[in-house]
Amino acid sequence: MRAFVITGPGRGEVRDVPRPEPLPDEVIVDVECAGVCGTDAEFFSGEMAYLHTGEARYPIRIGHEWAGVVSAVGDAADPSWIGRRVTGDTMLGCGHCHRCRAGRRHLCADRYEIGIRNGRPGGLAEQLPVPVRALQSLPDTLDPALGALVEPGGNALRAVRGAGLQPGERLLVLGPGTIGLLAARIAAAEGAEVHLLGRTRQSLDFARRLGFAHVWTTETLPALRFDAVIDASNAAALPALALELVEPGRRVVYIGLAGEPSLVDTRTIALKDVTAVGVLSASGGLEGTVDLYASGAVDPRPLVAATVALEDLAAVLGGERRPEWGDAPKIHVDPRR
């Protein structure tokens, strides 16, 4: 089968690789659509932290936002999975340690991460092996593009839950990328007054076209009470700004990751009596995201700029943006092209 393989910094190609055979507790998914994430771009550039800690190494098969149809099952898996459209959790815990037994498999020290950690192959390929325990079934109303947006949506949903807002309260989202915009849409669907802080004219104009009226830069941000702040950016300075802007006694959610250490003053956390919440993954948020998409409460489709072939992926990871794609942040790949 064909799969996209990163062989080193700035080098990636489509290769013919052996088709996967399911382990007893696995299924094989024929991938219909997969998303390109900032993490994938960091693997391509060589900046991804796991490359420097030894938790990942080249060559690597990326892709952790995916949807497809189950085409085969292992000996211990329920054959009724065959023919069902699914997506799945990225984080695969060992199942035996105290974290896994306590329901925190995404924090397992020995976890695999699909397309990311410890050599587990990713979904930017024609087929993908997935443990049954990680599967999330998709209703017929969710097409492959929506299915591939469940994983980033699960991250965003967990961030909104972590913010602890009530309807009518005010949320500030830092970073109008895919996760930030999904969090903004989810929070708005739940009745929050949503504000977005961005940097480029293109991203801010796009947020306005999505219907967000309160879109700011650091220079234009008004002096308002923000009942929660979600930092979905990759800017090292913004975690401290989030803490500065949040209302005392409320919550800051950190889901964005900077390429260098981002420092906050813990004295401010204590003196403002702020709760800081970290979100690592979509684990625990997939089912809720499927419900939001299926009900129509949240429509993520406008966030997809284009769907390309595997052969186009190296250029996309290298930063190529065709003018006809517009300003939407997400690129999808159809491995069947």
Side-chain angles (χ1 to χ4, degrees):
M1 70 169 186
R2 297 184 312 139
F4 187 81
V5 183
I6 300 177
T7 57
R11 302 193 306 273
E13 61 189 19
V14 180
R15 289 184 174 179
D16 286 325
V17 302
R19 289 189 177 274
E21 295 290 336
L23 296 175
D25 64 342
E26 289 183 341
V27 305
I28 302 301
V29 176
D30 291 348
V31 180
E32 298 178 301
C33 186
V36 182
C37 174
T39 300
D40 301 319
E42 289 180 1
F43 274 119
F44 190 74
S45 70
E47 298 172 359
M48 174 60 185
Y50 284 171
L51 292 169
H52 306 287
T53 61
E55 295 162 279
R57 59 183 57 86
Y58 298 121
I60 185 169
R61 287 166 48 186
I62 57 172
H64 57 278
E65 305 173 2
W66 53 270
V69 176
V70 175
S71 60
V73 299
D75 293 341
D78 185 343
S80 68
W81 280 108
I82 293 177
R84 294 167 65 180
R85 176 171 287 131
V86 295
T87 185
D89 200 343
T90 301
M91 308 302 216
L92 310 178
C94 71
H96 308 296
C97 70
H98 72 282
R99 293 176 189 169
C100 287
R101 293 197 305 270
R104 300 191 298 273
R105 291 188 176 187
H106 65 298
L107 300 175
C108 173
D110 297 321
R111 71 184 178 274
Y112 293 88
E113 298 179 22
I114 290 176
I116 297 176
R117 189 176 191 260
N118 285 337
R120 188 83 190 193
L124 284 161
E126 292 180 328
Q127 290 187 319
L128 176 69
V130 186
V132 170
R133 68 179 184 275
L135 293 176
Q136 173 63 54
S137 184
L138 298 174
D140 292 339
T141 53
L142 264 63
D143 63 18
L146 284 175
L149 286 163
V150 169
E151 197 278 343
N155 279 274
L157 177 59
R158 287 194 63 213
V160 172
R161 288 173 175 171
L165 289 166
Q166 298 295 319
E169 293 187 320
R170 186 179 293 126
L171 169 68
L172 176 63
V173 178
L174 310 183
T178 298
I179 300 297
L181 290 171
L182 284 169
R185 287 208 142 186
I186 292 169
E190 295 183 351
E193 178 188 309
V194 177
H195 294 243
L196 286 150
L197 181 76
R199 182 173 55 88
T200 68
R201 178 185 59 80
Q202 291 87 349
S203 65
L204 297 176
D205 286 347
F206 180 72
R208 292 189 184 97
R209 291 198 296 273
L210 289 180
F212 293 107
H214 309 299
V215 179
W216 317 102
T217 64
T218 52
E219 292 76 23
T220 63
L221 184 68
L224 297 172
R225 184 194 77 247
F226 293 109
D227 301 300
V229 179
I230 295 175
D231 176 20
S233 76
N234 60 2
L238 290 191
L241 180 63
L243 185 57
E244 176 185 328
L245 293 173
V246 73
E247 176 74 3
R250 301 307 297 266
R251 294 187 169 205
V252 175
V253 180
Y254 294 112
I255 190 169
L257 293 174
E260 58 187 273
S262 49
L263 305 180
V264 298
D265 189 338
T266 58
R267 294 174 298 182
T268 305
I269 295 176
L271 292 172
K272 291 186 72 172
D273 202 8
V274 166
T275 298
V277 179
V279 175
L280 173 63
S281 73
S283 301
L286 299 177
E287 184 177 359
T289 301
V290 170
D291 291 341
L292 286 170
Y293 292 176
S295 70
V298 173
D299 180 10
R301 292 178 188 275
L303 275 63
V304 180
T307 301
V308 302
L310 281 173
E311 285 76 11
D312 301 314
L313 189 49
V316 169
L317 291 170
E320 180 180 289
R321 293 281 304 192
R322 299 175 191 169
E324 63 267 25
W325 291 352
D327 298 323
K330 178 60 69 176
I331 302 296
H332 275 169
V333 175
D334 183 348
R336 303 165 298 179
R337 287 190 176 183

